[in-house]
């Protein structure tokens, strides 16, 4: 009888990259991702060096009855991926920026690499708040970044996708070739295949007026109520969010914020700096900021708007989408997550959506929730003494905001499997079409593991 190790040897011999099994140093390196709350335990990891390696792994998995999972950076690790074959894409690092305004990247590329390559041309990719996130994992989930209200969803900028479908075939999808895959991979996360390369449009944005105002905890109610009124009237040039922060006193956390409750108002303005300062003035006036870090910045510094952690941390997330955010919702949120609420969450963030995010896309896609007005996310760090408190508190928070929420979840935000999460991520027609396409291209249901798989088990 062939043992699992012997059969993995057969796969290893077909790869140009590496294959690692539990106990090998490479296995430990490749299964450690950004989110330390989850330790993946796949049966084997394939460190792909070419699209053909990805195809070999998927074909092998189909023949041998394994599920395949995929990871680039581990920012979206969802589950332990137990018993799967994990395809690690970190070595698929092609990154070419075309000066006429588009880029082609391999599946292992992070946003900062594209930002750096685009900067000499005054171009910018529509990245998210953290430039260390992977381009592909982010884009296949839609992608709402710091300038999203001006330019819309990152997935709407995609021109072409190369992916290995569940039947082990490498395909190219554009609006004209494989149109079902092109529709579904933009918003459908990894449900339809493992992307090996992505081509997408950039925007002309060498610099912008952006950053964050940080206020003391005592000013929270005034700041959040003002933010709600003020943001309702903002034009498309403005993208904004606020975050209730309880940052631990760790290296890199500014002294005025470390170990204290504070509220951050993030602001990115794609118009002229002077007009941005005028637009932001009412927020600057609501109280005296403890840090005022809104200024003209090169796009390459876009990560400072949200100032997300750059080093791996354990994190658990809870999320919802809001239809509206009236004054009563502010009070309800602050009752459970305000400065006096003893919340165990490190961050509770509300992003204003709308603007260009609400526009119909040029090419329809599997992305649902284009009409959501706000997104809410609570992030806790599961270490003592908070570990046991985070989940129940997040549940209480979602219940408190429930009257204004629609129960939806963007594919990028939080993680989860099963019918409940799927119905939060996709409207019924979109989910049915995703499942139908997945069934056609993935007869063995190999792609049943990941951040939001559409067919599980
Ligand atoms: C600090 C931080 C900041 C974030 N900021 C934002 C933000 O501003 N806006 C936003 O929209 N999201 C944001 N996210 C969420 C992020 O976009 C998702 O978690 C995304 O899935 C991360 O992709 P990754 O490849 O880096 O992560 P990974 O953990 O490597 O992958 C996560 C999932 O992405 C999919 N995926 C990855 N690679 C491939 C591939 N080659 N083919 C097919 N599917 C693939 C799979 O479903 C996989 O399970 C943030 C996350 C973190 C941790």
């Amino acid at each position: 009888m062939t043992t699992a190790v012997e059969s993995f040897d057969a796969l290893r011999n077909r790869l140009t990259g590496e294959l690692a099994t539990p106990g090998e140093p490479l296995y430990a390196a490749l299964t450690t991702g950004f989110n330390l709350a989850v330790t993946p335990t796949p049966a084997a990891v394939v460190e792909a060096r070419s699209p053909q390696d990805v195809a070999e792994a998927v074909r092998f998995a189909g023949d041998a009855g394994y599920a395949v999972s995929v990871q680039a950076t581990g920012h979206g690790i969802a589950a332990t991926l137990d018993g799967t074959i994990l395809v690690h894409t970190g070595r698929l690092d092609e990154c070419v920026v075309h000066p006429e305004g588009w880029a082609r990247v391999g599946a292992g590329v992070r946003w900062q690499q594209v930002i750096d390559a685009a900067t000499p041309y005054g171009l910018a990719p529509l990245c998210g708040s953290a430039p260390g996130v992977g381009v592909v994992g982010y884009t296949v989930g839609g992608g709402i970044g710091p300038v999203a209200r001006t330019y819309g969803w990152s997935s709407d900028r995609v021109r072409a996708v190369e992916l290995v479908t569940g039947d082990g075939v490498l395909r190219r999808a554009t609006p004209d070739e494989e149109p079902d895959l092109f529709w579904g991979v933009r918003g459908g996360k990894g449900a339809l295949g493992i992307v090996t390369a992505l081509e997408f449009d950039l925007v002309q944005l060498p610099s912008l007026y952006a950053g964050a105002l940080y206020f003391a905890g005592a000013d929270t109610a005034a700041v959040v109520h003002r933010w709600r009124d003020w943001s309702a009237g903002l034009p498309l040039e403005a993208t904004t969010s606020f975050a209730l922060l309880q940052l631990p006193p760790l290296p890199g956390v500014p002294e005025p914020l470390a170990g204290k409750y504070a509220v951050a108002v993030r602001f990115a303005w794609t118009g002229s700096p002077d007009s941005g300062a005028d637009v932001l003035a009412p927020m600057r006036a609501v109280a005296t900021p403890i840090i005022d870090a809104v200024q003209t910045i090169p796009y390459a510094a876009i990560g400072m708007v949200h100032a997300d952690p750059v080093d791996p941390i354990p994190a658990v997330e809870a999320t919802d989408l809001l239809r509206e955010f009236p004054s009563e919702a502010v009070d309800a949120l602050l009752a459970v997550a305000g400065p006096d609420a003893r919340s165990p969450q490190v961050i509770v963030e509300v992003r204003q959506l709308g603007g260009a995010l609400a526009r119909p896309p040029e090419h329809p896609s599997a992305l649902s929730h284009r009409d959501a007005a706000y997104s809410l996310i609570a992030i806790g760090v599961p270490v003592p003494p908070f570990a046991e408190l985070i989940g129940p508190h997040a549940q209480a928070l979602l219940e408190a905001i429930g009257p204004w929420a629609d129960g939806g979840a963007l594919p990028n935000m939080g993680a989860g499997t099963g019918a409940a999460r799927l119905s939060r991520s996709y409207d019924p027609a979109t989910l049915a079409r995703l499942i139908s396409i997945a069934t056609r291209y993935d007869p063995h249901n190999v792609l049943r593991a990941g951040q939001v798989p559409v067919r599980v088990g």
Side-chain angles (χ1 to χ4, degrees), residues 149 225-235 240 325 352 374:
R149 278 173 39 88
H225 276 287
R226 174 72 63 87
W227 180 87
R228 189 195 75 79
D229 281 343
W230 164 80
S231 59
L234 289 177
T240 185
F325 192 48
Q352 186 194 24
Y374 301 86

Side-chain angles (χ1 to χ4, degrees), residues 241-436:
S241 61
F242 73 84
L244 309 173
L245 302 174
Q246 298 189 92
L247 303 180
L250 292 174
V253 176
E255 192 280 324
L257 305 178
K260 302 191 182 84
Y261 190 104
V263 55
V265 171
R266 290 80 161 258
F267 180 67
W269 176 258
T270 54
S272 76
D274 285 349
S275 57
D278 288 346
V279 168
L280 186 62
M283 283 314 307
R284 280 203 163 108
V286 68
T288 305
I290 48 177
I291 302 175
D292 183 336
V294 184
Q295 59 203 297
T296 300
I297 57 166
Y299 192 85
I302 193 78
M304 60 86 76
V305 176
H306 286 242
D308 284 336
V310 291
D311 294 323
I313 47 155
V316 287
E317 299 174 351
T319 186
D320 212 329
L321 291 169
L322 310 185
R323 290 185 308 273
E324 53 180 348
F325 192 48
S327 188
E328 298 78 9
V330 174
D331 293 336
L333 181 71
L334 296 185
V336 281
D340 304 320
R342 303 176 67 84
S343 155
Q345 313 295 340
V346 172
I347 300 178
V348 175
E349 171 192 275
V350 174
R351 296 189 190 194
Q352 186 194 24
L353 306 178
L357 292 167
R359 282 188 189 145
E362 184 185 352
H363 301 291
S365 79
L367 187 72
S368 302
H369 302 306
R370 287 176 188 269
D371 56 348
Y374 301 86
S375 86
L376 165 79
I377 192 159
I379 302 173
V381 174
V383 293
F386 304 113
E388 306 302 318
L389 306 175
I390 293 168
H393 178 269
Q395 198 49 45
L397 192 151
L398 296 185
E399 277 165 25
I401 205 77
W404 304 279
D406 73 3
L410 296 172
N412 273 353
M413 301 302 180
T417 56
R421 169 65 200 214
L422 285 173
S423 64
R424 295 188 67 199
S425 303
Y426 302 106
D427 61 67
T430 299
L431 181 57
R433 187 171 170 196
L434 274 172
I435 292 173
S436 146

Side-chain angles (χ1 to χ4, degrees), residues 20-21 23-34 40 45 47 71-74 77 86 88 110:
T21 49
E24 297 180 280
L26 184 62
Y27 179 94
L30 295 179
T31 52
T32 305
F34 181 84
V45 192
E47 189 185 35
Q71 185 172 310
T73 73
I77 297 177
L86 174 62
H88 196 282
R110 296 171 190 253

